[in-house]
Amino acid sequence: MKRRRFTNSNCLSQASGAIFFLILGALVLFPAVYTLCNSFMSPSENSRYYAAAMGQNENAKAAFHLIPDAFSLEGYYMVFLRSTDYLMKFWRSLFLCLAISAGQIAVSALGGFAFAKYPIPLKKGIYFLLMALMMMPVQVTLVPNYIILDELKLLDTWLALILPMMFLPFGTVFMTQIFKGIPDELLDAAKLDGAGTLQSLFRVMAPIGKGGFISVFLLSFVDAWNMVEQPITFLKDILRYPLSVFLASVNQVNFELSFVCGVLAALPMLLLFFFFHEELTQGIELSGVR
């Protein structure tokens, strides 16, 4: 009897936990599902249901509408074919984020390799400083970066966004932990075979730490894709603003297309996570080995 009661209590607790996490998951996914469903409304239907939100009718009441009255791709047609502003911002932002991610991988690989495998004067102090800088919010570094970029005459250029984000300390700290988990014997064997520093890095360390490289790429890409403060601070020409800033103006000017723009803005993140989620998980696990 006691065993049966114990089993029933376990089943009840497991069912309660499953229900709780299902509800929590539904709450987290609801904004994405809501945006996706509304993206298949026609612009006229969006205007009808969200006139109050768009400020078109002050007397209208804000409506909640999840399922479209009629399935329509008119919004996607307008964004892809009739209005090129959004697509130009999309491709520019994609190029910008790829450049930032590639640069951060290069800097992180070299810095992490040096911290993990080579003696450096004051290495522990410098590494501790990097970890402290990693925990600071981006707003703290805006003014120093602005002054440096102004002295270098790089304000209002793409390099004003690329260079500061290339040298963020997170990637170096992350790759240091990845490389520390790789045995030194492999590096010694590569040196005996005549491999130089860069050859040891790219032919020995990089294939083993592939999950770490992919993790740094994905996390830096997400960070760059969602940046807002840096473009507003470092760019004077609003036409150079990336997609993350441009979305706010879409909500104000063309609210009926904001759902479509939101879906397309989330698409790169979803594709990257879908194709590389295993490598991301592996890289995060490896970084916590030590």
Side-chain angles (χ1 to χ4, degrees):
M1 183 64 67
K2 291 183 179 180
R3 182 178 299 178
R4 181 177 299 176
R5 289 180 180 177
F6 182 74
T7 304
N8 291 337
S9 63
N10 281 346
C11 293
L12 182 60
S13 62
Q14 291 178 0
S16 301
I19 293 173
F20 171 77
F21 284 110
L22 284 175
I23 295 175
L24 185 62
L27 292 175
V28 172
L29 291 175
F30 178 75
V33 174
Y34 184 80
T35 301
L36 180 63
C37 292
N38 279 263
S39 68
F40 294 112
M41 293 182 185
S42 64
S44 59
E45 186 178 347
N46 272 321
S47 299
R48 184 169 68 253
Y49 282 104
Y50 301 108
M54 290 185 289
Q56 295 179 351
N57 187 354
E58 296 181 356
N59 297 324
K61 296 181 179 180
F64 172 80
H65 193 65
L66 181 62
I67 306 301
D69 294 338
F71 180 85
S72 174
L73 295 176
E74 184 178 355
Y76 288 92
Y77 168 77
M78 294 181 67
V79 169
F80 276 103
L81 299 177
R82 292 188 59 184
S83 178
T84 60
D85 292 341
Y86 183 84
L87 283 183
M88 290 178 62
K89 294 287 184 182
F90 180 88
W91 292 113
R92 287 176 181 174
S93 297
L94 187 62
F95 169 78
L96 177 66
C97 295
L98 289 175
I100 291 173
S101 300
Q104 190 167 147
I105 284 179
V107 173
S108 302
L110 295 174
F113 187 43
F115 276 109
K117 300 300 182 183
Y118 287 92
I120 301 175
L122 303 176
K123 181 168 68 173
K124 291 185 178 180
I126 298 173
Y127 189 73
F128 177 80
L129 180 61
L130 287 177
M131 295 184 66
L133 292 173
M134 185 181 66
M135 293 183 287
M136 289 185 180
V138 66
Q139 292 81 3
V140 175
T141 61
L142 287 178
V143 174
N145 284 335
Y146 183 91
I147 296 174
I148 295 173
L149 293 171
D150 188 28
E151 292 293 330
L152 296 175
K153 309 298 182 184
L154 293 177
L155 288 177
D156 203 29
T157 65
W158 287 115
L159 289 177
L161 301 179
I162 295 174
L163 289 179
M165 298 198 70
M166 279 177 54
F167 294 94
L168 291 178
F170 166 76
T172 301
V173 173
F174 191 91
M175 291 308 302
T176 300
Q177 299 302 316
I178 294 292
F179 289 145
K180 281 183 178 180
I182 299 176
D184 295 338
E185 290 76 10
L186 295 176
L187 188 61
D188 295 335
K191 290 180 179 179
L192 291 176
D193 291 337
T197 302
L198 293 180
Q199 289 178 327
S200 300
L201 173 60
F202 292 108
R203 293 186 178 182
V204 179
M205 309 294 282
I208 300 175
K210 181 180 69 172
F213 282 95
I214 294 177
S215 298
V216 171
F217 176 83
L218 293 179
L219 296 175
S220 62
F221 188 95
V222 171
D223 193 20
W225 188 260
N226 294 324
M227 63 180 173
V228 175
E229 293 90 349
Q230 298 93 324
I232 295 176
T233 305
F234 302 146
L235 300 181
K236 300 176 182 178
D237 187 2
I238 60 175
L239 297 178
R240 294 179 180 269
Y241 283 170
L243 189 62
S244 53
V245 181
F246 184 69
L247 280 176
S249 63
V250 171
N251 293 335
Q252 297 173 1
V253 179
N254 294 320
F255 186 87
E256 62 273 10
L257 299 178
S258 61
F259 293 109
V260 177
C261 294
V263 170
L264 295 180
L267 190 60
M269 303 293 98
L270 295 175
L271 291 177
L272 287 175
F273 181 78
F274 178 78
F275 286 107
F276 299 108
H277 65 278
E278 293 183 358
E279 288 81 0
L280 177 62
T281 304
Q282 178 186 6
I284 294 176
E285 291 178 350
L286 289 175
S287 66
V289 171
R290 288 188 178 182

